[in-house]
Amino acid sequence: GAVVSQHPSRVICKSGTSVKIECRSLDFQATTMFWYRQFPKQSLMLMATSNEGSKATYEQGVEKDKFLINHASLTLSTLTVTSAHPEDSSFYICSARGGRGNQPQHFGDGTRLSIL
Amino acid sequence: SQKIEQNSEALNIQEGKTATLTCNYTNYSPAYLQWYRQDPGRGPVFLLLIRENEKEKRKERLKVTFDTTLKQSLFHITASQPADSATYLCALSGTYKYIFGTGTRLKVLA
């Protein structure tokens, strides 16, 4: 149980392109979804938290116009990297949590984004 | 500011021995502490959660302790196997947000 599917797993595209990443909870309803960015040999850096039907809460230093998050249903959240540039290249990981309180997060397998 | 330190970046251990990983934190009073496993190029996988009023939690070969006085958690893998080789992350949570440590890369040598 508690499976989170993230697509695509890898994206290579040209600078200036917008890229959409999907995160789906397959067998549970995700009241909260999180988006992280991870640099090599570093920990997960929280970018934003989204609750179904609400606007996402972005962490300090994360541009909300650059990283658009939509959490339209209890099983789907999307992250769109708009007008991507090489410095946006990274490993992006989503996670989902069902219920309330400090339940464990269940992670997708990440998206490796490479901007040329 | 809140800070989490996992004691070593890398840990090598012989198969069959007990691996012990440390997570220390400062400027935070978490209600929960969690441990995750992450394999290269994959997302983290949840292993164990321990609450602030619990001292110890076990699951199969895994054991976690939580000392809120020392602000420290220990994560033990007994009878370690090469398949246990991975990066292990600790995460603290209070309200809704989680703060992750940088992880310890464990390598179990056959």
Side-chain angles (χ1 to χ4, degrees):
Chain A
V3 177
V4 174
S5 174
Q6 184 174 342
H7 291 284
S9 58
R10 189 176 186 93
V11 179
I12 302 172
C13 57
K14 292 181 180 178
S15 185
T17 307
S18 291
V19 178
K20 181 185 278 190
I21 303 169
E22 287 190 352
C23 181
R24 292 181 185 272
S25 57
L26 298 186
D27 52 2
F28 69 102
Q29 292 187 325
T31 51
T32 307
M33 285 187 167
F34 303 86
W35 287 95
Y36 293 87
R37 187 170 177 176
Q38 188 174 34
F39 294 100
K41 296 187 179 180
Q42 293 191 27
S43 189
L44 302 167
M45 184 189 80
L46 180 65
M47 298 174 66
T49 302
S50 73
N51 293 296
E52 184 263 339
S54 304
K55 286 186 180 179
T57 302
Y58 290 81
E59 294 300 302
Q60 193 173 9
V62 178
E63 298 175 57
K64 60 182 179 182
D65 294 331
K66 173 77 171 175
F67 299 100
L68 299 178
I69 291 172
N70 184 283
H71 191 165
S73 76
L74 283 171
T75 58
L76 174 64
S77 177
T78 60
L79 167 68
T80 301
V81 184
T82 60
S83 188
H85 292 286
E87 58 266 28
D88 298 323
S89 299
S90 191
F91 191 52
Y92 292 88
I93 310 177
C94 73
S95 72
R97 186 188 70 200
R100 297 182 182 277
N102 290 284
Q103 297 298 312
Q105 295 181 54
H106 301 285
F107 287 83
D109 267 342
T111 297
R112 174 73 57 193
L113 177 62
S114 300
I115 307 297
L116 305 176
Chain B
S1 62
Q2 300 151 351
K3 191 175 178 183
I4 302 176
E5 281 185 349
Q6 294 192 240
N7 64 324
S8 55
E9 190 176 318
L11 177 66
N12 290 343
I13 192 166
Q14 207 63 39
E15 182 178 9
K17 299 292 185 184
T18 297
T20 298
L21 285 63
T22 305
C23 177
N24 295 294
Y25 59 94
T26 56
N27 298 325
Y28 200 57
S29 295
Y32 301 83
L33 189 144
Q34 302 173 28
W35 283 88
Y36 291 80
R37 168 184 172 140
Q38 186 174 22
D39 291 287
R42 305 292 297 274
V45 174
F46 169 73
L47 296 175
L48 279 169
L49 178 151
I50 187 166
R51 294 174 171 77
E52 61 178 339
N53 60 352
E54 296 176 315
K55 295 227 179 285
E56 183 179 298
K57 204 76 168 284
R58 289 175 186 262
K59 179 183 176 183
E60 297 172 354
R61 293 185 297 112
L62 309 179
K63 184 178 88 171
V64 172
T65 62
F66 192 10
D67 188 327
T68 54
T69 303
L70 291 178
K71 294 186 181 293
Q72 181 182 78
S73 174
L74 299 179
F75 177 76
H76 305 274
I77 306 175
T78 58
S80 58
Q81 305 165 0
D84 295 326
S85 298
T87 295
Y88 291 86
L89 307 170
C90 68
L92 307 179
S93 56
T95 51
Y96 71 93
K97 197 161 72 173
Y98 298 72
I99 301 171
F100 282 83
T102 52
T104 296
R105 285 197 315 278
L106 174 67
K107 186 170 183 179
V108 181
L109 305 170

